[in-house]
Amino acid sequence: RARQVEVVREAVLHLLATDPTLEPRDVIVMCPDIELFAPLVNATFGSAALAGAPELRARLADRSLRQTNPFSAVAAHLLELAGSRVTAAQVIDFASREPVCERFGFDEDALAQIERWLAGTGVRWGLDGAHRANWKLESLEVGTWQAGLDRLLLGVAMADHGDLFGGALPYGDLSGGEVELAGRLAELVDRLRSALDELARPQSPQSWARALLSGTASLTRTSTQHAWQSEEFRHALEPLVGEPTEAGRPDVPAALLDLSEARALLADRLRGRPTR
């Protein structure tokens, strides 16, 4: 695929060199799967100028909102977490999303510290024992987010004590400046738990869209400069939220979608639309 993109670049340069009336804006290259080729196009056309070749600007159209809008990427990630094991790696990946970092004040150092805490407190997967019931392990709390956060927050309150409290051993490796970060991590997991609870049961298409909008809003924040991103994401789902529901008609049963059906429906709403 990389070679195909290189050949396209050379072919376009040849056409421009042989036809003085042709301008770059007159050239359109069609592609069967733009998401597959987008990184290669950016890399190939961007590196050409650095290598001494004539500069060619390529603008990609029809890309999905998930790839171009960070809020849509967060929403898609939420749908992936729903019904999953919610591993430590998945949550760290989710927390590193730009709008999530903005909401909870995370930077690279904070995320690195959180990773060290998760390793030290033994967080592996599962929000708590009840969440592990889907895998028949509801009686095993060790390694869940709840157990790890209990240890971490007890370490904040009982930094000088090494005794068990309520069956949990305080994690005592916290400095005074890390207390606030521990609280922000606990808030993230709590909000994530609430959002995933809303995405855990069959419901109408309108309810799925509202739950995704609400969950994304509770976990993200953006600057005034990038406010258009949240608006674009909200507008993508607004038609679904506003569609008339048939649940109020006695002769028509309410249509309830499970998670896989909702993922297909909402993914369709976040697909790219024709652009310039």
Side-chain angles (χ1 to χ4, degrees), residues 34-36 38-39 62-74 76 97 232 270-272:
I34 191 62
E35 299 301 346
L36 195 64
D62 300 333
R63 298 199 68 189
S64 71
L65 288 180
R66 176 172 180 174
Q67 298 296 330
T68 61
N69 189 315
F71 280 82
S72 298
V74 169
R97 301 280 179 174
E232 183 182 49
L270 299 178
R271 285 204 183 106

Side-chain angles (χ1 to χ4, degrees), residues 22-128:
L22 189 65
E23 298 183 17
R25 64 181 179 180
D26 300 323
V27 180
I28 295 176
V29 178
M30 306 300 290
C31 179
D33 187 344
I34 191 62
E35 299 301 346
L36 195 64
F37 282 87
L40 298 172
V41 171
N42 287 328
T44 303
F45 280 75
S47 63
L50 296 176
E55 181 180 2
L56 272 181
R57 292 186 182 180
R59 178 170 297 177
L60 299 169
D62 300 333
R63 298 199 68 189
S64 71
L65 288 180
R66 176 172 180 174
Q67 298 296 330
T68 61
N69 189 315
F71 280 82
S72 298
V74 169
H77 205 153
L78 262 183
L79 284 175
E80 291 173 3
L81 286 173
S84 76
R85 287 157 54 99
V86 191
T87 66
Q90 285 177 313
V91 175
I92 286 291
D93 187 26
F94 181 81
S96 66
R97 301 280 179 174
E98 181 181 344
V100 181
C101 286
E102 184 77 21
R103 170 65 182 81
F104 296 96
F106 295 151
D107 56 19
E108 289 186 9
D109 291 339
L111 292 172
Q113 180 60 62
I114 289 172
E115 285 193 75
R116 288 192 289 270
W117 284 342
L118 299 184
T121 56
V123 175
R124 295 295 181 265
W125 67 277
L127 292 170
D128 51 26

